[in-house]
Structure formats: structure tokens, C-alpha cells
């Protein structure tokens, strides 16, 4: 087991203990050849939503109401990215920024995303 795999396991354990069940939803575009409607795919996730501290809210990059959401990478079939929607605390948050935390380029330790209330 590499150092980053151990960190991934530790992060997953902490998020499991202190977090909650949530969902990451991704809108898959229609087939480029056959067309059709976009398809929403839901991926169950374990996550910890936290409000940003006031000192980080600048009114342009981070707005009042934005959440910093830590998502366990263990067992998650996708890498959350801008455009996905995370359900946490019974509310939907659109991902506007994120960090995969792939320090070794292979194993994501934890996904940390900035969520903004989805319209």
C-alpha cells in the first residue's frame, strides 16, 4: 500500500464517520449520432458539507452560501467535476470549482469541491 493509498483510506474513514450519505448527479449529453435527450445519472457518495469561513468569502470567487464539500473517493464511480450537482443536507449544490487531490497522479485522496446552491 502506497502512502497516498493510506491517506485515501484515512480520508474515507473520517468522512464515513463524520459525514453523510449524498448523491453526485451528472447530466450525460445525448448521443452525438442518434441524438435523444440528455440523461441524468446519480452516483451515491459519502460526503461532508461545510460552510466556508467568513474570511474566505470574497463575493466574487466564493459567495455567501457556498459550501466546501469533501467527497470520499472510495467507491465513487466518477470524479466530481464542474457541472455536476451534489445533494447534501437535503439541498442541491452545483459544483463550480474542485480539486481531485491526486498527489501521485493516480489515486485521488479525497475530492474537495466548491458547491453553490443550484437554481
Amino acid at each position: 500500500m502506497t502512502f497516498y493509498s493510506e491517506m485515501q483510506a484515512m480520508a474515507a474513514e473520517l468522512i464515513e464517520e463524520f459525514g453523510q450519505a449524498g448523491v453526485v448527479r451528472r447530466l450525460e449529453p445525448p448521443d452525438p449520432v442518434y441524438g435523444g435527450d440528455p440523461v441524468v445519472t446519480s452516483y451515491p457518495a459519502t460526503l461532508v458539507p461545510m460552510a466556508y469561513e467568513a474570511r474566505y468569502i470574497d463575493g466574487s470567487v466564493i459567495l455567501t452560501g457556498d459550501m466546501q464539500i469533501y467527497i470520499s473517493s472510495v467507491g465513487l464511480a466518477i470524479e466530481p467535476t464542474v457541472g455536476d450537482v451534489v445533494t447534501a443536507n437535503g439541498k442541491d449544490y452545483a459544483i463550480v470549482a474542485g480539486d481531485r487531490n491526486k498527489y501521485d497522479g493516480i489515486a485521488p485522496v479525497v475530492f474537495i469541491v466548491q458547491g453553490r446552491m443550484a437554481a
Side-chain angles (χ1 to χ4, degrees):
M1 183 176 258
T2 67
F3 174 75
Y4 296 112
S5 297
E6 290 177 23
M7 298 311 309
Q8 181 187 51
M10 183 180 295
E13 183 179 319
L14 289 169
I15 291 171
E16 181 71 32
E17 183 176 348
F18 299 105
Q20 60 184 261
V23 176
V24 177
R25 290 192 319 275
R26 178 168 288 170
L27 183 66
E28 303 290 346
D31 185 279
V33 175
Y34 298 109
D37 294 328
V39 177
V40 176
T41 307
S42 297
Y43 300 92
T46 306
L47 49 87
V48 176
M50 295 187 296
Y52 280 96
E53 293 180 29
R55 63 184 170 154
Y56 295 116
I57 298 172
D58 61 7
S60 59
V61 176
I62 299 175
L63 306 178
T64 302
D66 284 2
M67 297 290 278
Q68 188 172 27
I69 306 170
Y70 290 74
I71 304 171
S72 175
S73 61
V74 175
L76 188 60
I78 60 167
E79 291 188 6
T81 187
V82 173
D84 292 346
V85 175
V86 177
T87 301
N89 294 334
K91 298 177 183 169
D92 290 336
Y93 296 93
I95 297 176
V96 295
D99 187 354
R100 300 177 314 185
N101 292 291
K102 280 189 174 180
Y103 301 111
D104 63 354
I106 301 169
V109 174
V110 63
F111 299 114
I112 304 172
V113 299
Q114 177 184 352
R116 185 163 292 153
M117 289 292 291

